[in-house]
């Protein structure tokens, strides 16, 4: 798997100015960011996200939901999560128009593939990465539909705009009016070769995974929180060695450590952000050995290839791993 980084470059702790902060829905604010000097920003592709550096050890990833053709602005929408880890609350309460925010990215772990038709399924704030995808495929003349659910209509960002712009291609189904999304009906209606894209809460993703698997439908997911892993993967294992191919160094990873923990302890510089296996920042190429994948970024086929791993959460099934570091 590759980062799929696109454009003239990638911002690395570059500071952007907040030029607009708007209410996008109940509990959701939208930030519009621009270069303080008025310059162009890196190009990006639908599905990309941006890291916002909101404070020391407070880096959060938010999907870009503006227009890919707008090189002067980057837009994100953030749901306030009272039970979260503080990032969304900082965006809602602390960030103001005129502020400078350090950012990293854009980075795309959720790229849009070519397909004859698309079914987009969004749950709540999961609409954000799908919105620019819809604009892209609609502009290309592809067949597509959107099934968009949320707890209430008031909390569903961009629902009115999407419904007005695309009319009957969009089905807005707030749970308090329609109940849970009818995934079976949506999947039964797709034509052969349709690519299904989904982002939202874990129960929605898990249900759609199972239904697509049983039907043999191509599914692409992005998770905002870690997926559950088998309980045995959570238990400590044996210590193992990680060989850094470029430097020739060997780092021992303890029984209760991740690879990232051990690398940082030994002074090895590695990019990382979420430390939950959801953002893809810490991805490393595996040259030898078998990783114990515990991330929520790689799909089953990508994990089975064993040619890369997310070191922030993963360990090793073999006594020795060789990384391209």
């Amino acid at each position: 798997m590759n980062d799929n980084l696109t454009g003239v470059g990638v911002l690395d702790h570059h500071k952007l100015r907040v030029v607009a902060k708007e209410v996008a829905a109940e509990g959701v604010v939208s930030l519009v960011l621009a270069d303080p000097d008025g310059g162009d920003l890196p190009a990006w592709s639908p599905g990309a996200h941006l890291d916002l550096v909101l404070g020391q050890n407070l880096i959060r990833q938010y999907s870009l939901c503006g227009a890919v053709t707008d090189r002067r602005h980057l837009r994100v929408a953030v749901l306030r999560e009272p039970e979260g880890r503080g990032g969304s609350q900082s965006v809602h309460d602390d960030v103001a128009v005129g502020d400078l925010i350090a950012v990293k990215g854009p980075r795309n772990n959720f790229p849009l593939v070519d397909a004859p038709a698309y079914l987009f399924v969004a749950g709540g704030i999961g609409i954000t990465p799908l919105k620019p995808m819809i604009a892209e495929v609609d502009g290309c003349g592809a067949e597509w539909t959107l099934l968009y659910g949320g707890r209430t209509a008031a909390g569903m960002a961009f629902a009115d705009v999407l419904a007005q712009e695309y009319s009957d291609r969009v089905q807005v189904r707030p749970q308090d009016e329609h109940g849970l999304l009818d995934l079976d009906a949506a999947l039964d209606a797709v034509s052969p070769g349709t690519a299904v894209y989904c982002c939202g809460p874990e129960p929605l993703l898990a249900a759609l995974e199972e239904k697509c698997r049983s039907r043999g439908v191509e599914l692409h997911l992005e998770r905002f929180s870690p997926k559950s892993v088998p309980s045995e993967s959570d238990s400590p294992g044996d210590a193992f060695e990680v060989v850094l191919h470029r430097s020739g160094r060997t780092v021992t990873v303890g029984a209760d450590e991740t690879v990232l923990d051990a690398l940082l302890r030994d002074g090895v510089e590695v990019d990382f952000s979420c430390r939950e296996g959801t953002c893809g920042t810490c991805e490393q190429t595996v040259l030898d050995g078998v990783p114990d994948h515990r991330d929520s970024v790689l799909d089953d086929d990508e994990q089975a290839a064993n040619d890369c791993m997310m070191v922030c959460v993963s360990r090793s099934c073999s006594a020795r791993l060789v990384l391209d570091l």
Side-chain angles (χ1 to χ4, degrees):
M1 180 180 177
N2 295 316
D3 289 328
N4 294 299
L5 301 177
T6 60
V8 297
V10 178
L11 300 168
D12 186 4
H13 285 271
H14 184 82
K15 289 190 175 181
L16 299 183
R17 190 173 300 282
V18 180
V19 296
K21 182 178 183 180
E22 306 160 347
V23 176
E26 189 175 277
V28 180
V29 295
S30 172
L31 299 182
V32 180
L33 308 172
D35 186 280
D37 300 319
D40 281 349
L41 298 173
W44 56 279
S45 56
H49 70 258
L50 193 69
D51 287 13
L52 301 188
V53 184
L54 300 167
Q56 187 174 9
N57 299 320
L58 188 60
I59 303 175
R60 297 293 182 264
Q61 297 75 39
Y62 299 108
S63 296
L64 292 170
C65 57
V68 296
T69 55
D70 183 358
R71 295 294 302 278
R72 293 301 179 96
H73 304 98
L74 296 174
R75 180 187 291 269
V76 298
V78 181
L79 170 69
R80 180 190 288 275
E81 299 184 78
E83 305 304 318
R85 296 177 295 145
S88 68
Q89 294 189 62
S90 178
V91 171
H92 277 253
D93 298 338
D94 303 328
V95 175
V97 173
D99 286 353
L100 290 173
I101 299 181
V103 303
K104 296 179 66 177
R107 184 186 304 274
N108 198 339
N109 295 314
F110 192 38
L112 184 64
V113 301
D114 290 331
Y118 300 85
L119 169 62
F120 299 102
V121 181
I125 198 62
I127 190 62
T128 51
L130 304 185
K131 183 171 174 283
M133 291 185 182
I134 289 169
E136 179 87 2
V137 301
D138 189 74
C140 294
E143 291 297 317
W144 65 271
T145 56
L146 167 66
L147 182 61
Y148 182 11
R151 289 189 178 91
T152 65
M156 297 171 67
F158 311 120
D160 290 343
V161 172
L162 290 166
Q164 291 170 7
E165 186 169 357
Y166 300 114
S167 187
D168 57 355
R169 289 179 182 262
V170 175
Q171 300 178 47
V172 177
R173 297 290 185 268
Q175 185 176 342
D176 63 343
E177 298 176 27
H178 299 274
L180 296 176
L181 294 178
D182 191 343
L183 301 178
D184 288 316
L187 292 172
D188 289 343
V190 302
S191 56
T194 296
V196 179
Y197 275 79
C198 180
C199 186
E202 183 58 30
L204 171 63
L205 303 185
L208 194 58
E209 274 186 310
E210 178 58 33
K211 293 178 184 298
C212 286
R213 186 180 299 114
S214 65
R215 288 171 167 82
V217 174
E218 177 185 351
L219 175 62
H220 304 265
L221 298 176
E222 181 169 61
R223 286 181 159 89
F224 288 151
S225 58
K227 64 181 178 182
S228 59
V229 295
S231 58
E232 57 267 22
S233 296
D234 293 327
S235 59
D238 297 328
F240 58 94
E241 292 185 340
V242 172
V243 178
L244 311 184
H245 177 72
R246 296 183 205 173
S247 66
R249 292 177 59 184
T250 297
V251 175
T252 299
V253 181
D256 57 354
E257 289 184 302
T258 65
V259 173
L260 177 63
D261 291 334
L263 294 175
L264 296 177
R265 171 172 46 76
D266 273 30
V268 180
E269 293 188 5
V270 183
D271 286 338
F272 66 95
S273 179
C274 71
R275 301 194 78 148
E276 291 186 325
T278 58
C279 74
T281 303
C282 69
E283 180 180 340
Q284 299 297 329
T285 299
V286 178
L287 301 178
D288 193 26
V290 181
D292 175 12
H293 297 287
R294 305 184 185 186
D295 66 273
S296 302
V297 176
L298 303 175
D299 62 28
D300 291 344
D301 291 338
E302 290 167 336
Q303 289 190 352
N306 288 326
D307 57 4
C308 66
M309 68 184 297
M310 305 302 155
V311 295
C312 75
V313 291
S314 299
R315 288 177 45 82
S316 181
C317 296
S318 55
R320 180 175 175 269
L321 279 177
V322 181
L323 301 182
D324 189 19
L325 278 171

